[in-house]
Amino acid sequence: MTHEPDPRRWKALAVSLTAGFMGLLDVSIVNVALPSMQSGLHASSGGIRWVVSGYALAFGLVLVTGGRLGDAFGRRNMFLSALAAFVVTSALAGAAPNETTLVLARLAQGIAAGMLTPQNTGLIQDLFRGAERGRAFGMFGAVVGISTAVGPILGGAIIAVFGAEDGWRWVFYVNVPIGVLAFALALRLLPRSEKKQLKIRSEIDFVGIVLLAVAVLGVLLPVVESDDDGLARLWWLFPIALVFGVAFIRWEHSVSRRGRTPLLDTRLFTGTPGYATGAAVGALYFCGFAGIWLVFAMFFQQGLGYSPLQSGLSVTPFALGSAVSAAVAGRLVPRFGRRLTVTGLGMVALGLLLVALLAELVPPASSGWAFALPLLFAGVGGGMVISPNTTLTLECVPVRMAGVAGGALQTGQRIGTAIGTAVLASVFGAVVGTGSAYPVALTVALSCAAVLTCGALALAVAELRARRHRASVEEREAREAHSSAADVQRG
């Protein structure tokens, strides 16, 4: 069967990526608004961290399920439904009168964003073929990286325009007009797809969803509550998380053997070259990368008295470097492959360590300028990580498993974001709580982020070596096959 390309495919991609950008942006845009949010609502430190971590967790837990529903009901229908829900929950978050309402609205907003994001990868699979698909995935990967990096800047600018008292509300309200416009354009541009008959019992793995949710919550909850002695009070959740994690894997194997559709097809990790390592690289990198924005916001605003806009502008070099290099790196993947991510991870780790060192050496008043070049260097590296890693991780995935593969990859990144943000913020708060100066806390937190990034680097190096080994074996087998064919002809 031949596939005629949709003449509006690039416009449709632009609309879907705009909506996806909003959902991903809301992971980091609230970081600079947290101090004013906490002050305005008289919120606790643990509760205010759930504004970030709860969103990322809810986002990550429904990604694969969202992909399943997109397969069943059609990408267009799920995209429009999720986008409408995201707009409504954004308005509810902006209007929240207290901490509890805000956290609940953010959880609902995270679910809507998690349902929305996998439709992007599904639409790319549906609309593009061959080299165009690689370019489209490169653009999606760039959106993932850039949205996280520019969030603090946009958040600071919004608060500067609307004021410190209620400006944080407009961080959420701004999604409403953009979302309404994207909804109108999506109605016109997104292709209609054939709706399939949904078989709830066989296509939606409810048991898998519950097992995974308990496992992740068992790890996350003690970390999020660490400032309130959560590790001592809730340590028993870690062994429970381990038990449920093992049960989840065993259940997914069982679901696959019975011919049903699992939440996470384990064959992706055992039978697809490079997928398991690529997914692990993404998850571990996001643990270190996504958490630094909240740490920087606390350092600049609480430690140095910066305004939210000044705080956001202080990390602009990272965002600029990431934006430029992501656009370029997406086109260089066919030529340089995994070497791009290895180089990028090394640059991010080195840049973060340089900032950690400078935090101890330069006067606090000069920190913003002193950090500029190392952050630019790290940002250029960051742009070389996410987009190429997305493309390389998905390149060997069979088409029939492309939707769940994209959802699983994003799930790891979102859970990494939730855990990384909680861990680095807790480390920063714990150091400050001992009476140490804010620069010391920043040094310790960024050093932890660099260690996590180095873990991702080690995995990427291992994958690079594995790729070279596979290429060597394939080349040798091709030579042997050619030699055998020549011998037959001579015989």
Side-chain angles (χ1 to χ4, degrees):
M1 178 180 177
T2 59
H3 296 273
E4 289 294 330
D6 190 318
R8 299 180 299 180
R9 61 193 181 281
W10 290 108
K11 292 180 180 179
L13 178 65
V15 172
S16 71
L17 290 183
T18 298
F21 179 82
M22 286 196 305
L24 294 165
L25 183 69
D26 264 52
V27 176
S28 63
I29 194 173
V30 300
N31 286 337
V32 295
L34 291 182
S36 60
M37 199 180 296
Q38 186 172 3
S39 174
L41 295 177
H42 306 290
S44 65
S45 59
I48 213 67
R49 278 199 306 278
W50 270 102
V51 173
V52 177
S53 297
Y55 178 89
L57 176 63
F59 192 142
L61 289 179
V62 301
L63 279 164
V64 177
T65 303
R68 291 268 181 264
L69 293 174
D71 289 337
F73 290 120
R75 300 290 176 197
R76 183 177 187 271
N77 294 334
M78 274 303 300
F79 181 91
L80 293 173
S81 300
L83 179 56
F86 183 78
V87 171
V88 171
T89 52
S90 294
L92 291 175
N98 53 51
E99 172 189 332
T100 302
T101 305
L102 178 59
V103 171
L104 291 175
R106 282 287 283 175
L107 288 170
Q109 189 189 31
I111 291 173
M115 291 288 184
L116 180 65
T117 298
Q119 311 318 320
N120 283 310
T121 53
L123 284 167
I124 290 172
Q125 294 287 344
D126 292 342
L127 294 174
F128 298 96
R129 298 290 183 274
E132 280 193 345
R133 180 178 289 177
R135 286 176 56 197
F137 269 125
M139 293 172 65
F140 174 71
V143 164
V144 173
I146 294 171
S147 63
T148 306
V150 303
I153 304 167
L154 294 180
I158 290 171
I159 292 176
V161 171
F162 293 100
E165 182 67 24
D166 290 319
W168 65 266
R169 297 185 182 276
W170 287 94
V171 169
F172 302 116
Y173 285 148
V174 74
N175 292 328
V176 176
I178 299 174
V180 169
L181 177 61
F183 188 92
L185 292 173
L187 277 174
R188 179 180 178 185
L189 295 173
L190 293 190
R192 296 182 180 274
S193 56
E194 182 181 352
K195 186 168 65 174
K196 303 175 185 178
Q197 183 65 39
L198 178 63
K199 300 176 182 178
I200 294 290
R201 292 180 61 86
S202 63
E203 293 194 32
I204 306 300
D205 181 12
F206 291 108
V207 174
I209 292 171
V210 172
L211 291 173
L212 179 61
V214 174
V216 173
L217 282 173
V219 173
L220 184 64
L221 188 58
V223 175
V224 171
E225 296 293 323
S226 59
D227 276 4
D228 298 323
D229 204 27
L231 291 176
R233 288 187 295 106
L234 302 172
W235 63 267
W236 49 270
L237 284 175
F238 289 119
I240 289 179
L242 178 61
V243 170
F244 273 81
V246 172
F248 171 73
I249 295 172
R250 292 176 64 88
W251 172 259
E252 297 304 284
H253 279 300
S254 173
V255 170
S256 297
R257 286 197 302 269
R258 295 199 304 269
R260 293 173 53 193
T261 304
L263 178 67
L264 184 60
D265 197 324
T266 54
R267 289 172 294 182
L268 280 171
F269 299 92
T270 58
T272 306
Y275 182 84
T277 307
V281 167
L284 197 52
Y285 175 63
F286 269 79
C287 269
F289 158 71
I292 65 175
W293 309 118
L294 180 54
V295 168
F296 275 124
M298 291 190 296
F299 170 75
F300 284 119
Q301 293 184 54
Q302 297 175 1
L304 303 186
Y306 281 23
S307 69
L309 178 58
Q310 290 173 319
S311 175
L313 290 174
S314 297
V315 296
T316 298
F318 191 106
L320 290 176
S322 180
V324 173
S325 66
V328 175
R331 298 179 179 274
L332 297 178
V333 174
R335 181 176 178 183
F336 295 104
R338 184 58 73 180
R339 285 177 290 174
L340 281 173
T341 54
V342 168
T343 303
L345 287 165
M347 292 175 66
V348 172
L350 180 58
L352 293 179
L353 288 174
L354 286 173
V355 174
L357 179 63
L358 289 172
E360 291 293 305
L361 298 179
V362 303
S366 305
S367 296
W369 292 106
F371 295 168
L373 282 179
L375 284 176
L376 177 65
F377 181 79
V380 172
M384 296 166 62
V385 175
I386 299 172
S387 175
N389 187 61
T390 300
T391 303
L392 293 167
T393 303
L394 297 175
E395 68 177 354
C396 294
V397 172
V399 174
R400 62 184 174 80
M401 300 171 71
V404 69
L409 180 63
Q410 277 285 307
T411 297
Q413 293 176 1
R414 293 310 109 203
I415 293 174
T417 296
I419 294 175
T421 300
V423 168
L424 295 184
S426 298
V427 168
F428 184 90
V431 175
V432 171
T434 63
S436 300
Y438 278 89
V440 177
L442 181 67
T443 297
V444 174
L446 291 185
S447 297
C448 291
V451 169
L452 291 168
T453 304
C454 286
L457 174 60
L459 290 174
V461 170
E463 168 59 13
L464 176 61
R465 291 177 176 173
R467 281 175 175 269
R468 288 175 173 172
H469 177 70
R470 288 197 300 270
S472 175
V473 170
E474 290 171 359
E475 183 180 353
R476 184 173 64 251
E477 290 176 348
R479 285 200 306 266
E480 291 174 354
H482 179 73
S483 177
S484 298
D487 290 342
V488 170
Q489 288 180 350
R490 286 195 297 269

